[in-house]
Amino acid sequence: MFKTTSLFAHLLIVTGLFATSAQGQQATPTPPPGDDGEVVKISTTLVQIDVTITDRRGNIIRDLRPDEIEIFENGKKQTPSNFSFVSSVIEREEATGATPTASTPIAPVRPEQVRRTIALVVDDLTLSFESTHFVRRALRKFVDEQMQPGDLVAIIRTGSGIGALQQFTTDKRQLYAAIERVKWNSAGSSSIGAFASLEAKPDTGEPEAEEPEAGERTKEGIDREFQNFRESVFATGTLGAINYIVRGMEGLPGRKSVMLLSDGFELFSTDALGFKESGRVMQALRRLVDQANRASVVVYTMDARGLQVTGLTAADNTSGRSASEIESEIAERNDRLFNTQAGLQYLAKQTGGFAIINNNDLSGGIRKILDDQSYYLIGYIPDEDTFDPKLRRFNDLEIKVSRPGAVVRHRSGFFGVSDEVRTRPEMTGEQKLMNALTSPFAANEITVRLNALFGSERKTGSFIRSLLHVDARDITFTDGPNGTKQGVFEIIAVGFGDNGIPIDQLAKSYKIDLSPEMHQRFIEKGFVYDLSFPIKKPGAYQLRIAIRDTRSNSVGSANQFVEVPNLKKSRLTLSGVALENIPYNTWQAMQTSGTTVERDSNPLSDTALRQFKRGTVLSYGLMIYNAKTSGGRAPDLTSTTRLFRDDKVKFEGRSVPIEMKGQSDPKAINLMAALSLGSEMEVGDYTLEIVVRDNNAKGKQSTAIQYVQFEVIE
């Protein structure tokens, strides 16, 4: 269970750490870029959809005129009320100087900075063992080479729960950890290869069975019916998972895309008599298409199997089978490939996307999808009967373009229910709290900031210390006895392992009574909720915390990704970073006197909030584990800092020796330093990189890197 504590010394570094001497440095970054918005709407007064128009080679046509487009609803021509082109081309500045590594955590983008929101959905309910390998390789290449600034990305497995690593992020470390969890799901519907290999048919010595009579349910037919039923259940699960993702993406900014990497699914199931029927899969598809169209999400699909040979292979054993039986098996493979690809093509076409099939280059397919992000926004005023449920449930849309050679892709239609009618009823307080906790998107009715730090102690081992800063102005306080102020709130915190399974959790209600002086301080400074939990196994972890004010029903949430290294490998390792913001004059007095100076700062709050004013000093500290001391030599360490803004290095400090005097444990060494935040520094988000080198070690074990993100304010 989580343990709440108020002793900052139990974390990594005591408050007195910040009173020691450190190196001061300066930096001046630049402001972030702007953004284009988009609106796709279905209401009783306006139907507005996005339409992709390309030439025959797949290149976006950017100069179409309004008189070249016609829009039809249920075969009836509509009069466009608005027409515009939205480009997703990102104008990138040429990078100068050093650039961050792939593992550098770039500060989260603000909503107005998001250009593309991308969900890479790995359908591990259908992926074969072979396909899984190629999918992992394509995902890694996407993160390494194709992901751009302004991209909000999630890598999601259909066969897992909400998962710790399945939220939208700009942090490539989190995406790499999610890729590591993409593995063949033996409990899914697929096999080792794209098709199950033929096994030898044993000779039972019994005469061959007579041809079944018409309408007779044979053993083979019953087996086929069961297999079809099983696959339809998995397909429905896949579509349900995508529907959940699309609902979550509805409120996100930017051009929204789902890229489904799958071995496909069949639209229709076959019963024991060989008859095709539409069932749960088509129903789930219709619901998904309507949800995607309303949420302005385009679904692209990719057949992870690539180009397949449906004939016999070396893995097939045809012993005991006649020529007609072998021919029948090959025909069944052909049918299966065609039918499962048809499911992918149907889903993509109905939502305005396209399918990548019979192509061994998954990375090339992703690149083609990323190039397909510009569109036309077309709206019209619907007729009165558009939303009349007595007349029709699903309204079909058709877009025609008169320009020769133009290829049009658009959403197939929508159910006859307006967004106003679909508005969900207001959630209860408990529902809001759980929704904030489980959703990959932060709630901000209560302003919270979270900083989760890795650390280790000899007796207790590794742990994660989490500090949640709460803006008390968002909490409702009422009058209590003797002039006190009272507030009541609930907190839920869950720590997830890299498999999406909770490893620890806390749920607790608090009632606080504050004196007038303390209440005023809470309003001005906020307060910190402090908790920690032990980590038994190294790996990737995530903490999610949600808080609810029980009086106003307001909710806030935050989450953070943390990597816990394996200290038993004796590799140089750094803890999380503790912070303190000190006025520049106070810092100068500390350096001049060489002693502790009284100051109005709180490392606990500063480390949680990570907001620092210009013209002050950002003092930071961490612990260094596993420094080499072999041969009687004392640890010989140096540190270097770099400051990032918008994926560019804005400042790089010189290499500084780490002072060993006063260090009590050579295996757990304090690093204390500072960075001067210039008065001309631009406000915004930054990432501080701290590199420690062990001059007694060799190769990869000689360097360790840690990062901390913070915001510069006025």
Side-chain angles (χ1 to χ4, degrees), residues 159-179:
S160 61
I162 59 172
L165 308 176
Q166 297 196 30
Q167 73 200 37
F168 289 88
T169 182
T170 58
D171 192 336
K172 291 188 176 183
R173 301 174 306 160
Q174 183 170 331
L175 297 175
Y176 287 134
I179 293 172

Side-chain angles (χ1 to χ4, degrees), residues 317-343:
N317 189 337
T318 60
S319 299
R321 298 177 187 270
S322 65
S324 61
E325 288 176 326
I326 295 174
E327 184 178 347
S328 176
E329 292 286 354
I330 294 175
E332 187 174 327
R333 287 182 179 180
N334 281 314
D335 290 344
R336 176 172 175 76
L337 180 63
F338 177 83
N339 292 334
T340 52
Q341 288 181 342

